[in-house]
Amino acid sequence: MKREDASHRPLSTRPILPDTPEAAARVLVLAIVADGRLGACEVQVLDDANAYERLGLDRDGFYRVMREVCAELLDRQSRTGDSMFQLDGTDAGSWLDAVSDPETRHQVLSLALQVIRSDGVLHPGESRLFWQALDTWKIRLDAVRAATVGETGKDTPLHRPPGPSARH
């Protein structure tokens, strides 16, 4: 069986309805699995932050989206022959494009920042997703950090991964 080149495949071929709670949840799920695993501490952060309601979903609705996304990523992984899901710098583009409301974008980034720092380790896939969202949505890092510090009381150092640089 021929393997597909993961670098030229979207994360999903499934259409994403724009500006829906599910579209925002899909980006947040990517933040959860961007390190290649689903961590209990990452899900706990979402519970503590009342994330589901903030996105316009209940917990069951968010978990439904998470199951769908994980199934799509596993399908992609089996088509490409990759041994592990790894997010590159362009994968999430169409998913990010499906969220256009500025307030929702800030909400998703603030929650994503809490998720990706919850285990105390910044994985390159998490960093790439976060920076891709900042760049795509044209949001400044200091705005997201200020909102997150206001919510959690903790500052979060986050460095841009190697590659094309942008001003933030």
Side-chain angles (χ1 to χ4, degrees), residues 21-34 38 42-43 45-47 49-52 54-55 57 62 65-66 69 95-96 99 104-105 107-116 129 137:
E22 290 80 9
R26 291 174 79 80
V27 174
L28 195 53
V29 170
L30 277 183
I32 294 171
V33 299
L38 179 64
E42 295 165 331
V43 175
V45 163
L46 296 178
D47 285 337
N50 198 28
Y52 319 113
R54 290 168 61 183
L55 294 177
L57 294 170
F62 183 85
V65 171
M66 187 163 36
V69 168
W95 292 22
L96 293 169
V99 180
T104 303
R105 287 175 169 181
Q107 189 80 257
V108 168
L109 276 172
S110 177
L111 291 167
L113 185 57
Q114 292 176 56
V115 164
I116 65 178
L129 173 64
W137 291 342

Side-chain angles (χ1 to χ4, degrees), residues 7-79:
S7 64
H8 300 292
R9 298 287 306 156
L11 288 176
S12 171
T13 56
R14 178 184 192 170
I16 301 170
L17 292 175
D19 291 319
T20 59
E22 290 80 9
R26 291 174 79 80
V27 174
L28 195 53
V29 170
L30 277 183
I32 294 171
V33 299
D35 61 0
R37 61 186 184 83
L38 179 64
C41 63
E42 295 165 331
V43 175
Q44 184 63 50
V45 163
L46 296 178
D47 285 337
D48 294 346
N50 198 28
Y52 319 113
E53 289 79 17
R54 290 168 61 183
L55 294 177
L57 294 170
D58 60 15
R59 192 172 199 266
D60 290 340
F62 183 85
Y63 274 74
R64 179 185 48 75
V65 171
M66 187 163 36
R67 283 189 302 274
E68 290 170 0
V69 168
C70 289
E72 291 170 29
L73 296 176
L74 286 171
D75 178 61
R76 177 181 188 246
Q77 182 179 340
S78 70
R79 287 183 283 121

Side-chain angles (χ1 to χ4, degrees), residues 146-160:
T148 305
V149 170
E151 292 173 17
T152 65
K154 299 176 186 170
D155 192 11
T156 305
L158 188 68
H159 304 286
R160 179 179 284 280

